[in-house]
Amino acid sequence: MDIQAYQKWVSDFYKKRNWYQYDSFVRSNFLMEEVGELAQSIRKREIGRDRPDEDVTSDIENIAAIKEELGDVLDNIFILADKYEISLEEIMEAHKEKLERRFAE
């Protein structure tokens, strides 16, 4: 699936579930929550959690958790972009240009 098709799919999906109506301020807080969950998943794989109330998980399970959390982060980014009517292609191109200007040799 290409990035543009996914951006449309995720927006439609969120609208059907009544998750889209939250304003960008609320959505950005959802994004931060998901980034925290991603950080926790990465920590668990890289250095462990050392908590007796949590099960030890395999590397395969840890990578699956990281992949899941990355998806949640991406979805929130896609929804924010959609709310401002910005395509992911526009974001990637503008960011690429910024980095090339900043680090031109």
Side-chain angles (χ1 to χ4, degrees), residues 62-93:
N62 290 335
I63 293 295
I66 290 168
K67 184 165 48 170
E68 179 180 336
E69 297 306 336
L70 281 167
D72 292 341
V73 167
L74 282 175
D75 281 0
N76 279 284
I77 290 169
F78 279 58
I79 296 301
L80 283 166
D82 191 68
K83 285 185 169 285
Y84 291 106
E85 299 179 354
I86 305 169
S87 74
L88 274 287
E89 288 90 350
E90 287 177 72
I91 294 168
M92 292 184 298
E93 189 59 39

Side-chain angles (χ1 to χ4, degrees), residues 5-6 14 19 24-25 31 36 43 53 88 97:
Y6 187 79
Y14 273 52
W19 297 342
S24 296
F25 183 77
L31 172 60
R43 176 185 171 194
D53 61 335
L88 274 287
E97 289 172 10

Side-chain angles (χ1 to χ4, degrees), residues 43-58:
R43 176 185 171 194
K44 189 172 188 179
R45 179 174 189 262
E46 297 300 324
I47 64 172
R49 293 271 298 154
D50 194 26
R51 290 195 42 174
D53 61 335
E54 290 183 6
D55 294 331
V56 175
T57 52
S58 71

Side-chain angles (χ1 to χ4, degrees), residues 14-55:
Y14 273 52
K15 287 173 185 173
K16 287 177 192 169
R17 302 284 308 164
N18 292 320
W19 297 342
Y20 191 89
Q21 79 277 11
Y22 299 108
D23 66 30
S24 296
F25 183 77
V26 172
R27 179 62 51 201
S28 66
N29 282 285
F30 289 159
L31 172 60
M32 292 301 100
E33 180 181 343
E34 296 301 342
V35 168
E37 291 173 9
L38 172 61
Q40 186 178 42
S41 295
I42 290 170
R43 176 185 171 194
K44 189 172 188 179
R45 179 174 189 262
E46 297 300 324
I47 64 172
R49 293 271 298 154
D50 194 26
R51 290 195 42 174
D53 61 335
E54 290 183 6
D55 294 331

